[in-house]
Amino acid sequence: MTEQTYYTLKDGNRIPVVGFGTWQAESGEIAKQAVKSALEAGYRHIDTAMIYGNEESVGEAIKESGIPRERLFITTKLWNKDHSYDKAKLAIDESLERLGLDYLDLYLIHWPNPVDYRDHWQEANASAWKAMEEALNSGKVKSIGVSNFLTHHLKALEETASFQPVVNQIYLNPSDQQQEIVSYCKNKGILLEAYSPLGTGDIFKLDELEEIAKAHGKTVAQVVLRWSLQKGFVPLPKSVTPSRIKENIELFDFELSEFEMGLIDALQGKAGQARNPDEVNF
């Protein structure tokens, strides 16, 4: 990595502009070594979640890295079964214990409308959010936000929240640019994080991206991640392969032109789209 830069969240905290995603990184040596490789490559922003089942492995990698805690930005998330005040309070403590940390830099509600709470999701989110606000006030969490929220989910939360979300982590890449929620979040000062920023495997088959990559002497993955950065998003690429992990953060020695950004924007719908959070079956 040639540059470590940050965004400033609307609560005043700083967040590295690229993060390392750990979704699908199997608990144990695979996840631990992936995170260690990411930290060695220069990542300082690690994203996990309770449901990923690898918080312990992430915590072990952080500890073994020897990097001072204050130089790291660690995110985890509240899973769908815990959308109540009491359950969310416990979930935060349990995640901290599994990670071996005294505090989290960012804690997110993972999904807005879990199937178990579908008939009263607004109240469930408000109750969980209250517990998150208390964790914020006590210092267990530095910043709080959401994931997979659409505009109507955010508007409902705003009605009862004392602290507004500072981040919305969503499925975001050239094939699904989610323009409505992106526009809403930008107007509210909510930073957008892009999970699956490389979309599905189909995105690597698009000729337009191959041509842009060749022009810059970069890979398709690097071009798509650079697009995300130039959009003002925080991409969260994931891999367990050290060479790919390193490649995915080497994004600061080239820039896409306005014309190239437009070509990539035109790929909407060509390689998969997000699930509707109001219809997921979990």
Side-chain angles (χ1 to χ4, degrees), residues 163-198:
F163 294 91
Q164 298 301 319
V166 298
V167 163
N168 188 11
Q169 183 181 128
I170 61 175
Y171 183 89
L172 196 55
N173 58 66
S175 184
D176 195 352
Q177 297 169 42
Q178 300 218 56
Q179 291 175 350
E180 180 187 337
I181 184 60
V182 166
S183 176
Y184 185 83
C185 287
K186 286 188 172 182
N187 287 335
K188 290 285 186 176
I190 299 170
L191 183 68
L192 289 144
E193 291 186 333
Y195 76 79
S196 294
L198 302 175

Side-chain angles (χ1 to χ4, degrees), residues 121-177:
W121 61 267
Q122 298 96 326
E123 293 83 359
N125 286 344
S127 296
W129 193 254
K130 181 180 178 183
M132 291 166 63
E133 290 177 332
E134 289 185 6
L136 190 68
N137 287 325
S138 71
K140 291 180 181 179
V141 177
K142 299 294 186 183
S143 296
I144 53 177
V146 297
S147 181
N148 297 294
F149 274 50
L150 300 178
T151 301
H152 61 286
H153 303 126
L154 281 170
K155 285 182 175 179
L157 187 61
E158 288 166 8
E159 293 178 6
T160 57
S162 298
F163 294 91
Q164 298 301 319
V166 298
V167 163
N168 188 11
Q169 183 181 128
I170 61 175
Y171 183 89
L172 196 55
N173 58 66
S175 184
D176 195 352
Q177 297 169 42

Side-chain angles (χ1 to χ4, degrees), residues 1-41:
M1 186 177 184
T2 58
E3 182 180 351
Q4 177 69 50
T5 53
Y6 299 82
Y7 294 123
T8 299
L9 299 169
K10 67 177 181 177
D11 62 8
N13 292 324
R14 297 200 310 165
I15 181 172
V17 300
V18 179
F20 180 69
T22 63
W23 179 42
Q24 297 177 324
E26 184 179 344
S27 179
E29 281 300 307
I30 291 176
K32 184 169 82 167
Q33 292 304 320
V35 174
K36 288 179 77 171
S37 292
L39 294 171
E40 289 167 6

